[in-house]
Amino acid sequence: EIVLTQSPATLSLSPGERATLSCRASQSISSSLVWYQQKPGQAPRLLIYAASNRATGIPARFSGSGSGTDFTLTISSLEPEDFAVYYCQQRSDWPPWPFGQGTKVEIK
Amino acid sequence: QVQLVESGGGLVKPGGSLRLSCAASGFTLSDYYMSWIRQAPGKGLEWVSYISSSGSTRYYADSVKGRFTISRDNAKKSLYLQMNSLRAEDTAVYYCARDPGTLVDLWGQGTLVTVSS
């Protein structure tokens, strides 16, 4: 089973700063990676699919990159509403489709 | 309004059963694969189960295989999760999720299942 490892566990930054989140897969998953954002008390929200495609309505400050085993979610300039937990999920052809353990982006 | 609304959560004793339901509105359920995803209190997301648009193909996480059954009734615009032999570690918020095949693009608000004596 493919395992996803996200780093860091917590990222402490100020509004306006750049956030770089990592997700590493235990084996190659091509570009079959999805990113979600979750705020406290809310369901997750789709951000990025197929490693680098922004979902509908997602601001351009969010970008995804990578392929194979190493993936990155970048938030170019943090807005107050971006402080949340971010999860990656692998979506190769067949289940299971595990999530990473999450990265919390908190206000410094 | 495009939405998913879960129901059926609650408190159940270890070894007990519970059936979750998810009502879909604002879109044609039969056009989509669907998934259940859960989140234990204070923990991360865990994919649980997936069903094809017709219901003919189903997948389960190893942690629930043999105990949980996913099903759907497209005519009733509903998705279900039958949970048997529940354990304390099944305690979580269970999300119904619309799954076009390579991502989840719509989530319900979740329903809390607590397994405790």
Side-chain angles (χ1 to χ4, degrees), chain A residues 36 38 43-44 87 91 94-95 97, chain B residues 39 50 59 99 101 104 107-108:
Chain A
Y36 302 94
Q38 187 178 34
Y87 294 95
R91 287 304 302 257
W94 307 110
W97 294 312
Chain B
Q39 186 169 36
Y50 161 97
Y59 296 109
D99 190 328
V104 169
W107 301 69

Side-chain angles (χ1 to χ4, degrees), chain B residues 44-60:
Chain B
L45 301 169
E46 180 187 13
W47 172 80
V48 172
S49 184
Y50 161 97
I51 187 167
S52 63
S53 52
S54 66
S56 60
T57 301
R58 310 175 195 201
Y59 296 109
Y60 301 93

Side-chain angles (χ1 to χ4, degrees), chain B residues 2-9 18-30 32-37 51 69-82 94-99 104 106-111:
Chain B
V2 177
Q3 63 177 359
L4 298 167
V5 179
E6 302 94 336
S7 60
L18 212 54
R19 189 195 196 206
L20 305 184
S21 298
C22 171
S25 59
F27 66 97
T28 303
L29 183 64
S30 58
Y32 291 89
Y33 305 153
M34 298 293 291
S35 289
W36 286 99
I37 294 164
I51 187 167
T69 302
I70 190 171
S71 62
R72 65 193 296 160
D73 186 331
N74 289 333
K76 293 184 177 179
K77 303 179 183 180
S78 293
L79 176 73
Y80 306 102
L81 187 67
Q82 177 67 44
Y94 284 73
Y95 293 103
C96 168
R98 189 174 74 175
D99 190 328
V104 169
L106 181 67
W107 301 69
Q109 86 288 351
T111 187

